């Protein structure tokens, strides 16, 4: 997940270059943008690597959306070459990190654009990195921006 997450911005930026009425692509892009915000931008400690993190399943949904966007971009003439190159780079980096062979409890789940996944808020008090971050680390965080999620 960490490798795909490190390329998430590149995937969305590449999608922004596609012009025209691409309903499926824009549905996928919108899904991953909303899901990314719901997961607090995957910035909570352990979101990507800790299966006990209340944000782990949420991050899987976000990155499943990003992966779906990249796979959709392969069929778009104006960005197909860059999409294939980016996909190859991600595959290579995953192989270097052994990530292609590692799955976690949410890896087998299917996500769709009709099902946004919330963090497991009730588990936050039991996950000390998340609890400490939300208690002490986000002072000054503009929580009013979360109203639109």
């Amino acid at each position: 997940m960490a490798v795909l997450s490190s390329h998430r911005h590149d995937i969305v930026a590449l999608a922004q270059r596609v012009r025209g009425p691409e309903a499926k692509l824009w549905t996928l892009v919108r899904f991953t943008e909303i899901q990314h915000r719901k997961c607090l931008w995957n910035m909570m400690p352990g979101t990507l690597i800790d299966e006990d993190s209340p944000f782990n399943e949420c991050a899987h949904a976000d990155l499943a959306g990003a992966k779906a966007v990249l796979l959709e971009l392969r069929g778009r003439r104006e960005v197909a070459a860059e999409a294939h190159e980016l996909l190859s780079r991600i595959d290579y980096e995953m192989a270097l990190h052994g990530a292609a062979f590692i799955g976690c409890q949410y890896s087998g789940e299917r996500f769709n654009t009709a099902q946004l996944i919330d963090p497991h808020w009730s588990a936050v008090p039991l996950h000390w990195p998340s609890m400490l971050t939300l208690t002490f680390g986000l002072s000054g965080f503009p929580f009013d921006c979360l109203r639109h999620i």
Side-chain angles (χ1 to χ4, degrees):
M1 281 188 14
V3 173
L4 186 58
S5 180
S6 70
H7 291 284
R8 188 187 177 287
H9 175 76
D10 299 329
I11 294 167
V12 173
L14 191 57
Q16 298 299 330
R17 291 183 36 211
V18 174
R19 300 289 176 233
E22 305 292 340
K24 181 178 179 183
L25 176 63
W26 297 125
T27 299
L28 290 170
V29 169
R30 186 70 182 136
F31 168 82
T32 195
E33 287 176 343
I34 293 169
Q35 190 64 57
H36 194 61
R37 283 194 305 270
K38 279 185 160 288
C39 301
L40 299 182
W41 304 274
N42 295 335
M43 293 177 56
M44 294 297 288
T47 295
L48 301 174
I49 59 172
D50 181 1
E51 290 186 36
D52 294 328
S53 168
F55 296 87
N56 189 259
E57 182 181 21
C58 184
H60 266 275
D62 170 27
L63 296 173
K67 180 179 176 182
V69 169
L70 182 55
L71 295 175
E72 183 68 21
L73 290 172
R74 292 183 312 171
R76 305 298 177 197
R77 187 179 68 251
E78 63 264 51
V79 295
E82 290 109 321
H84 282 285
E85 189 275 325
L86 183 54
L87 184 57
S88 293
R89 189 173 347 134
I90 291 168
D91 279 343
Y92 175 73
E93 289 176 24
M94 289 179 78
L96 281 178
H97 293 94
F101 305 106
I102 299 171
C104 81
Q105 64 181 334
Y106 300 114
S107 294
E109 287 189 22
R110 298 188 77 133
F111 294 100
N112 64 61
T113 55
Q115 181 185 11
L116 291 165
I117 305 295
D118 289 316
H120 298 282
W121 292 109
S122 62
V124 168
L126 304 174
H127 188 254
W128 67 268
S130 296
M131 187 64 189
L132 289 174
T133 301
L134 288 173
T135 302
F136 300 108
L138 294 178
S139 60
F141 183 83
F143 285 100
D144 61 322
C145 72
L146 299 178
R147 288 182 296 158
H148 305 290
I149 297 178

